[in-house]
Amino acid sequence: MELFSAMEQYDYEQLLFCQDKSSGLKAIIAIHDTTLGPALGGTRMWTYASEEAAIEDALRLAKGMTYKNAISGLNLGGGKTVIIGDPKKDKNEAMFRAFGRYIQGLNGRYITAEDVGTTVADMDIIHQETDYVTGISPTYGSSGNPSPATAYGVYQGMKAAAKEAFGSDSLEGRTIAVQGVGSVAFHLCEYLHQEGARLIVTDINEEAVSRAVEKYNATAVAPGDIIGVDCDIFSPCALGAIINDESIPKLKAKVIAGSANNQLKEARHGDLIHELGIVYAPDYVINAGGVINIADELNGYNKDRAWKQISGIYNSISRIFDISREAGIPTYVAADRLALERIETLKNTRSPFLQNPHHVLSRRFGR
């Protein structure tokens, strides 16, 4: 892998490799763009097949965070961390404290948060070494687990997508196939169940499926069958690249709206589903609730203010559909256009946070 060529392709600013032999830390921090402010993006821990796969994931996710933060109206850039390892076996306090020291060394250029494979408890350990971490325990003045906020945003975006496809944003009586019922999707299922939707669920974790079946009267199917079930809405809430050459011919849903990142394996798959008339809610827009929530911590967390902004995902998704229809372009292109327009407009300005990150963080933590 030619690193500088890979970084130049999408104009990444920085790629850092962090290791601590005694704790087993092997982390990669990717900072994509800080035009709007310091890079904010979570820390993912995963058993990658190779170091190159970990690098590619960090780069891809960091770019997604730039677009997500931009289109959400946040004064923040995009970054991401991946830690190579099994989150069920390899975690230890020394690992996250060492990682926290690396973040502290960036002096506010990158702020981290929870992601796949990490928890609020992990963020609390990182916080022992740095203030540049969000989504920590409420006892520290934070918002805690961002999953409920992410789920609420997906719910709002799904309603907007339903209105585009069916003429009404009501989900009552709609059949929704949820792929993956982890923390975010489990909260999402609650909103959908309360509105009267019929749920079909799957997950490689059988216990998670059983919980959803029991609590939300969902129907369980095997992981390999969820793509082709007869449903109104397909909600990918597991890992990415699920919209691909193999899955698209099997889809019976008229809407794709879920919390997973990087749902399109390649850009051309967004073109394909557009040509098929499938309404696609771009992933980094619909799943932005969590980052909107934790970004509010930087101003002194106020849940009512944060969740009001999250509810605006409905309007953001609707606006993307309007642009898509008017310009005759796929929705993922419309979303990218909106995000890039904001970045280019503010290319020569600096956010108040970036000018003095210590001031904002000291207000948040009372230091």
Side-chain angles (χ1 to χ4, degrees), residues 228-245:
V229 299
D230 191 5
C231 63
D232 299 301
I233 300 171
F234 173 57
S235 185
C237 297
L239 296 179
I242 191 60
I243 308 303
N244 54 52
D245 289 335

Side-chain angles (χ1 to χ4, degrees), residues 156-313:
Q156 291 294 329
M158 187 181 291
K159 288 177 70 66
K163 185 174 182 179
E164 178 71 13
F166 309 119
S168 169
D169 66 6
S170 174
L171 300 177
E172 183 177 2
R174 295 290 173 196
T175 299
I176 303 172
V178 182
Q179 181 190 44
V181 277
S183 183
V184 171
F186 193 77
H187 288 286
L188 172 63
C189 286
E190 182 172 4
Y191 288 115
L192 303 178
H193 178 68
Q194 289 176 347
E195 191 165 335
R198 175 177 174 263
L199 298 175
I200 302 173
V201 301
T202 196
D203 198 295
I204 58 174
N205 183 338
E206 294 182 3
E207 183 179 348
V209 172
S210 296
R211 287 176 61 212
V213 169
E214 181 179 351
K215 188 166 184 179
Y216 305 127
N217 197 30
T219 299
V221 298
D225 296 336
I226 192 73
I227 296 291
V229 299
D230 191 5
C231 63
D232 299 301
I233 300 171
F234 173 57
S235 185
C237 297
L239 296 179
I242 191 60
I243 308 303
N244 54 52
D245 289 335
E246 293 182 3
S247 65
I248 290 174
K250 299 176 183 177
L251 282 169
K252 297 178 182 177
K254 295 182 179 178
V255 172
I256 300 173
S259 66
N261 287 309
N262 303 311
Q263 294 171 22
L264 304 176
K265 185 173 183 178
E266 298 175 30
R268 65 183 180 85
H269 294 122
D271 300 330
L272 284 173
I273 57 176
H274 176 70
E275 292 169 3
L276 291 170
I278 297 172
V279 174
Y280 170 59
D283 46 34
Y284 67 81
V285 184
I286 196 173
N287 69 12
V291 73
I292 292 171
N293 192 58
I294 61 175
D296 193 81
E297 296 176 17
L298 304 177
N299 298 309
Y301 185 64
N302 181 295
K303 183 176 181 179
D304 290 341
R305 178 179 62 204
W307 283 59
K308 181 178 180 180
Q309 188 173 0
I310 294 167
S311 68
I313 288 175

Side-chain angles (χ1 to χ4, degrees), residues 118-132:
T118 60
T119 65
V120 173
D122 299 329
M123 298 305 107
D124 286 349
I125 296 173
I126 293 171
H127 177 50
Q128 301 306 309
E129 302 290 343
T130 182
D131 280 347
Y132 301 116

Side-chain angles (χ1 to χ4, degrees), residues 106-117:
L106 291 171
N107 201 33
R109 183 170 169 76
Y110 169 66
I111 304 166
T112 198
E114 178 187 352
D115 200 274
V116 174

